[in-house]
Amino acid sequence: MKTFLPKPYKKVIFSVRVQEDKLEHIGKIATAHNMSRNQFINQCIDFAIQNMPRWSLGYQDASNHWEEDKTEE
């Protein structure tokens, strides 16, 4: 399995509903890495997408799409 390394970068705003216990766990992990929950969740999403089989993404070159758009916050 690949290693997940959290790091900060900017993204657009949108809303997601999660269970309270998941949010608490996310907050603890984010705090341990000195970042916001938002930054941590974005990186979790990137990691999940980059590690999915390409056929499940609906387009061929998904990993390059996500890497090109990252900027420091």
Side-chain angles (χ1 to χ4, degrees), residues 4 8 15 18-19 21 29 32 40 44-45 47-48 50-51 55 59 66-68 72:
F4 173 65
S15 177
V18 297
Q19 295 171 340
D21 60 328
I29 295 169
F40 178 73
C44 289
I45 293 168
F47 182 81
Q50 289 171 1
N51 290 283
W55 60 264
Y59 54 96
W66 300 109
E67 288 297 320
E68 293 171 0
E72 292 292 323

Side-chain angles (χ1 to χ4, degrees), residues 9 23 26 36-46:
Y9 59 92
L23 185 58
I26 288 166
S36 70
R37 291 182 305 200
N38 182 63
Q39 291 169 322
F40 178 73
I41 291 167
N42 270 289
Q43 290 179 46
C44 289
I45 293 168
D46 286 344

Side-chain angles (χ1 to χ4, degrees), residues 4-70:
F4 173 65
L5 299 172
K7 56 189 176 280
Y9 59 92
K10 292 182 183 180
K11 290 292 173 189
V12 296
I13 297 171
F14 78 103
S15 177
V16 175
R17 291 178 177 85
V18 297
Q19 295 171 340
E20 189 173 342
D21 60 328
K22 287 181 185 176
L23 185 58
E24 184 177 320
H25 191 69
I26 288 166
K28 288 178 182 178
I29 295 169
T31 298
H33 289 281
N34 196 31
M35 60 177 30
S36 70
R37 291 182 305 200
N38 182 63
Q39 291 169 322
F40 178 73
I41 291 167
N42 270 289
Q43 290 179 46
C44 289
I45 293 168
D46 286 344
F47 182 81
I49 291 170
Q50 289 171 1
N51 290 283
M52 292 175 67
R54 290 182 188 265
W55 60 264
S56 67
L57 296 171
Y59 54 96
Q60 191 169 0
D61 201 13
S63 61
N64 288 341
H65 172 74
W66 300 109
E67 288 297 320
E68 293 171 0
D69 195 30
K70 293 182 181 176

